[in-house]
Each structure stands twice: as structure tokens, then as C-alpha cells.
Amino acid sequence: MVRFAVTLAAVLAGCGQVPSGTASFVFGATSPRPDVPMAADPETTVAEGTLAVQGLTEAKRRTWKDIPYGRHPQQRLDVYGVMDGRTQRPVVVYVHGGAWYLGDKGHKMADKPRFFNDLGYVFVSVNYRLADPGLPEAQRPMHPCQAQDIARAVAWVTRNISGYGGRPTGLGLLGHSAGAHLAALVSSNPRFLSAHGLGLDVIRGVVANDTASYDLTKPDSPLLASFIRNAFGTSSEVLQDASPLRQLQSGRSTPAFLILVQGSESRVAAARTFHHATVQTDRRMPGDEFLRVSRPGYGHEQMNDAVGRSGERVVSPAIQTFFRKQLGR
């Protein structure tokens, strides 16, 4: 197998998007910039919360499946809406996880659509091209294919969601694991959305639920390192380009982030570093939040399972409160 050792421009050209120039990375060290004081974290152990949702009759729920937002078979999305005469509902777009090579938009959808619909939102679940390890590197969809797909899906939503009762501006993004990484990346680097004539301001809030990594140059385990090699290769330039932490630039507006994390101290520290960087990047738009979940039963997969689950009192209330602040109702 040919080793991945090509330039960033060549890689991006393979997926159809070449950067206009060399990126100027402000954040990327192991700690935030020393010249900007750190904001204090909010309480890092999530307290029990309550949900304020309004149940809907089944007759008012409506689902549209496998809508194409691009030509590739994996460029499909599902829309979960509410048909009650109301228009311009806030929209949350969900990006599934799976180490960038697994997963599907329909996986673990028993609770999420109902949860967001009951909050008064239109919910959209997105598929994207997967980095199938069974394919040669020359044929495998690798960076920036996945990020481009999420941006393309967001563009489709902004131009079409009004026909499904949604509000086309001020979207929310929610992702878990690898999907949270992609949501963070697209919301940190304007290049992906600008290819569709959109700015970062089209996204008002991002929930990164136990992100796989904010800095791909520093994987915290051999397993994560193998997943990164498969989807991003080994070029340091490409890994930097695919790292949300490395995209943040002082003075450039970014959406508000809710960072949810569990696990080891190193994992929590990496998430906290990204949170500090988002706060420092744009002090004109406050709202970035950081919550550590440190209680039994909340491992990596359980953080995703928890979203919208009936009776769940940790993750779901935090997401609800954040999106209420950023998207309204």
C-alpha cells in the first residue's frame, strides 16, 4: 500500500476544494494562548436537570427519508419535522459518529427526533462519505471529503428546510464522537461553508458530544491513532488542517460551543483546551460552555445513547438549555 505522503493542496484537490492560501493557526499548542487570560470553567460535573418538553401526537410528526443533498449515494439526509401549521421552527442538524468510517444517519434514532420535535425543532440527521478502510487510499474518501459533505448538507438545509417547516438561518449542529469532530471542524474553519456562499454565522450553536479529537496531531490512544491514519493519513499538514483546534483564529467569529466530555483526565484536558480557545477566539459572542460528565453509566457510547432518552437527567437537559439559549424556540 502506498504511504500517505502528499501535499495538503493535492489532498484537498482530490476532494474538490483547494485552500486559497496557507492557514494561520493561532491555537494549537497544548495550552491556550498565554497572553489571553483564561475564563473560568463552569461547573465541570453535570448536575441533574429537568426537561421542559411538550409531547406531540403521532399524527403531527412527519419524516422524510433519504433526501439527496449531493450526487454520491452516501450524501443523503433524513428530516424529522412537525406538521401543525407552524413554520420557521429552529433546526438542529445531527452528525453521527463511527471513527469516520462507520455509522449511519438512522442509527440510534429512537429518541433523538422525538426529543427535538417535542422541543419545537426540526431535526435533520446526515450521512456523509465514509473512509472505508477496505478501499485503497487513492479511492478512499479521506479528508476533507467528510467535512465538505457536512458543509454541503448544511447548505442544503439553509436552502430547502423552509419547505419542511424549518428556519433556514441560525442552525444548530450536534455531533457525537467523529461526528462531533466534523461539526467542530466545519464550525471552526469558514472554508467549508464559504464554498457554498455561506459564512459561519449560519450556525448559531454547536454541541460537540464527546468528540473523538480536537487536535488530530495528538491522538490520546493507539486505537484513535489508527482511525486517524485511515481517514486523514499521516501528513502533519493535513492533520493540522483537519484539527478544529488549529482552525480557530483570534477575532474571527465562531458559533457558540457546548463541549460535553467524559473519560480520562487527558481526554478532559484536551476538551477543556478547545473550550478555552473558543472563548478566547471571539469574546464578542459569549455562550461557550464546558461540561464534564463524571458519573457511572456515562461512557463514550452512552453519551450518545443519553440524548433524548426518556428520564435522562444529565446530557439531555444540558443540550436543551444550550440550544434554547442559542436557537430559541
Side-chain angles (χ1 to χ4, degrees):
M1 181 178 292
V2 179
R3 298 299 297 173
F4 189 87
V6 295
T7 66
L8 174 63
V11 172
L12 300 190
C15 273
Q17 184 160 334
V18 180
S20 58
T22 303
S24 175
F25 302 117
V26 174
F27 304 105
T30 55
S31 59
R33 288 173 57 200
D35 57 320
V36 181
M38 287 189 184
D41 283 332
E43 177 58 48
T44 58
T45 300
V46 181
E48 288 191 354
T50 57
L51 297 176
V53 300
Q54 180 177 357
L56 297 169
T57 64
E58 292 304 314
K60 292 184 178 180
R61 301 182 191 277
R62 179 75 184 274
T63 303
W64 296 265
K65 292 287 188 76
D66 295 320
I67 302 171
Y69 66 86
R71 295 181 179 180
H72 193 278
Q74 292 178 328
Q75 293 173 329
R76 299 289 184 271
L77 55 81
D78 298 338
V79 177
Y80 300 84
V82 179
M83 305 302 291
D84 63 354
R86 177 184 166 189
T87 60
Q88 297 291 297
R89 291 176 177 271
V91 180
V92 172
V93 178
Y94 173 69
V95 187
H96 70 78
W100 302 283
Y101 80 97
L102 293 171
D104 182 81
K105 59 183 170 54
H107 186 52
K108 297 188 176 181
M109 284 294 116
D111 300 318
K112 294 180 181 68
R114 179 180 297 273
F115 171 65
F116 285 103
N117 286 168
D118 284 350
L119 291 177
Y121 298 165
V122 173
F123 184 71
V124 181
S125 186
V126 176
N127 268 356
Y128 49 91
R129 286 171 288 176
L130 299 173
D132 182 356
L135 294 175
E137 288 186 356
Q139 301 175 22
R140 186 186 313 156
M142 299 174 70
H143 179 73
C145 293
Q146 289 85 9
Q148 288 177 341
D149 285 355
I150 303 310
R152 180 181 291 273
V154 168
W156 183 95
V157 169
T158 63
R159 290 161 187 160
N160 296 279
I161 205 64
S162 60
Y164 301 83
R167 187 177 65 205
T169 58
L171 309 177
L173 275 186
L174 164 67
H176 173 253
S177 192
H181 160 268
L182 294 173
L185 179 60
V186 170
S187 302
S188 300
N189 187 331
R191 186 179 85 233
F192 299 106
L193 286 170
S194 67
H196 303 278
L198 299 173
L200 291 180
D201 58 349
V202 75
I203 301 170
R204 290 198 59 83
V206 183
V207 175
N209 187 5
D210 217 27
T211 305
S213 178
Y214 293 103
D215 188 348
L216 302 188
T217 69
K218 298 172 182 177
D220 64 2
S221 72
L223 181 61
L224 178 58
S226 69
F227 293 152
I228 291 172
R229 283 194 301 272
N230 174 70
F232 302 91
T234 58
S235 163
S236 61
E237 193 176 10
V238 173
L239 294 177
Q240 289 185 45
D241 185 71
S243 297
L245 180 65
R246 306 286 184 130
Q247 308 312 305
L248 299 173
Q249 295 187 15
S250 182
R252 183 167 69 194
S253 297
T254 56
F257 279 85
L258 167 60
I259 310 299
L260 297 173
V261 63
Q262 61 77 46
S264 67
E265 291 301 322
S266 63
R267 186 181 182 87
V268 173
R272 184 177 287 114
T273 295
F274 183 77
H275 168 251
H276 285 153
T278 62
V279 171
Q280 295 167 20
T281 298
D282 188 1
R283 294 180 177 275
R284 294 170 299 168
M285 295 178 62
D288 297 301
E289 300 180 26
F290 178 92
L291 294 172
R292 178 181 185 178
V293 179
S294 55
R295 58 170 59 202
Y298 284 84
H300 181 61
E301 288 302 319
Q302 289 72 37
M303 292 285 285
N304 186 34
D305 297 341
V307 180
R309 190 178 68 227
S310 178
E312 200 276 326
R313 298 171 65 86
V314 179
V315 173
S316 298
I319 292 174
Q320 174 185 332
T321 300
F322 176 76
F323 277 143
R324 285 290 195 226
K325 291 178 182 177
Q326 304 305 326
L327 309 184
R329 64 181 70 200

